[in-house]
Amino acid sequence: MGDVAKDLTAGTVGGAAQLVVGHPFDTIKVKLQSQPTPPRYAGAGDAVRQTLAAEGARGLYKGMGAPLATVAAFNAVLFTVRGQMEAVLRSEPGAPLTVGQQVVAGAGAGVAVSFLACPTELIKCRLQAQSALAGAVSAPAPAAAAAGVGDVGVAAATVTTAPAAAAVKYGGPMDVAKHVLRSEGGARGLFKGLAPTLAREVPGSAIMFGVYEATKQALAGGRDTSGLGRGSLILAGGVAGASYWAPVYPTDVVKSVLQVDDYKNPKYSGSMDAFRKILAADGVRGLYKGFGPAMARSVPANAACFLAYEVTRSALG
């Protein structure tokens, strides 16, 4: 097998492992990010309890069909582009890359996967968030009643009406795609939220692959990391996964609210408008809604992904 085919195969296996381990955490993250004001869930634990009570364990895997159908392509693109950039950046064939070179390779891979991640995540977020949005009712937030003249903007931002889109009940990934193509601007509608997706994936992937390489080199005591065992790879993958979210999480919140926003009566006119309104309504804390589940997911999911990738890549020679 050529290097591209090996990266395609190993990336597919790694992505499948990541999805199975991490999807329930991702479901809770999206529900917390997209819930209306006043909030339906008191926190991650409450969101888990309500989801299990209303939908059973199956509810934690809602929206998994779309990423499962594209997980091969997504991770194949991510690891293959990264692998090809590694080949370009190497000073000589087989030479290990520096941490800085891995950062560059990760950024390039982030650009490529953004165009696949955006429509996939739009479908996933619609399915994950519809039960939370359906429970929204028109009601003033507590802050609105006590707001003074100087708080008019904040009060207005905290009064949320249930989006008309909440009435739409999607039967599955294909139902979401058909609805968007038919009623939300055609193919362009599937790329709603592309700007924040790029703003998340490019720096996030650069940091993740850079930290992954730095951690491996630290554990190996040098640039040759070929002798690391599975425990070290799991640790490096977990650390890399944790490093991904901290600097880019607000862009993921903006992406999620844009992707579940009502097309006919939008609350947000774009990424910057969503950013400003979230800040006005909830402060900086609003930009980190669902951060706990995201971090809880990222560590084990990325540990599983990198381990599965490395083991599969090694087995392929």
Side-chain angles (χ1 to χ4, degrees), residues 15-310:
Q18 181 186 51
L19 188 64
V20 170
V21 172
H23 193 79
F25 296 98
D26 189 63
T27 296
I28 299 304
K29 171 181 74 73
V30 171
K31 286 193 173 193
L32 291 173
Q33 288 176 337
S34 57
Q35 67 178 325
T37 302
R40 179 176 180 178
Y41 308 112
D46 185 46
V48 171
R49 285 191 294 272
Q50 288 197 41
T51 300
L52 289 174
E55 307 169 64
R58 188 175 179 181
L60 295 173
Y61 283 90
K62 268 196 172 174
M64 188 171 170
L68 184 60
T70 57
V71 68
F74 181 91
N75 284 277
V77 169
L78 180 69
F79 284 99
T80 301
V81 171
R82 175 211 178 201
Q84 292 304 296
M85 290 196 69
E86 284 181 340
V88 172
L89 293 168
R90 278 194 180 98
S91 56
E92 58 184 61
L97 268 65
T98 64
V99 172
Q101 288 172 322
Q102 285 288 1
V103 168
V104 174
V111 173
V113 299
S114 293
F115 291 90
L116 183 59
C118 185
T120 301
E121 293 194 11
L122 182 141
I123 292 170
K124 172 182 69 69
C125 287
R126 293 282 181 94
L127 290 170
Q128 289 173 322
Q130 66 178 348
S131 61
L133 294 175
V137 292
S138 257
V149 174
D151 298 317
V152 170
V154 175
T158 57
V159 179
T160 303
T161 301
V168 177
K169 290 295 184 181
Y170 302 114
M174 291 305 298
D175 192 29
V176 179
K178 288 176 183 177
H179 174 82
V180 173
L181 290 171
R182 182 176 62 250
S183 307
E184 299 186 22
R188 184 178 179 182
L190 291 173
F191 286 88
K192 188 177 184 180
L194 179 60
T197 301
L198 282 162
R200 181 195 71 187
E201 288 295 334
V202 176
S205 296
I207 293 167
M208 181 175 69
F209 282 114
V211 169
Y212 181 62
E213 186 62 27
T215 305
K216 287 202 302 179
Q217 290 186 15
L219 293 171
R223 288 175 63 182
D224 183 6
T225 62
S226 59
L228 289 177
R230 294 186 179 184
S232 296
L233 296 176
I234 289 173
L235 176 59
V239 172
S243 72
Y244 177 97
W245 281 115
V248 301
Y249 193 79
T251 63
D252 187 66
V253 174
V254 170
K255 177 199 71 69
S256 293
V257 300
L258 284 177
Q259 290 183 328
V260 302
D261 198 15
D262 183 26
Y263 178 74
K264 294 182 179 178
N265 300 292
K267 183 178 179 181
Y268 310 108
S269 61
S271 299
M272 289 308 299
D273 184 49
F275 180 81
R276 286 191 293 267
K277 286 180 176 176
I278 293 168
L279 273 180
D282 301 308
V284 174
R285 185 177 180 181
L287 294 170
Y288 284 88
K289 279 184 177 179
F291 184 69
M295 289 298 290
R297 166 194 175 274
S298 191
V299 173
N302 282 284
C305 178
F306 277 105
L307 175 63
Y309 171 81
E310 295 279 15

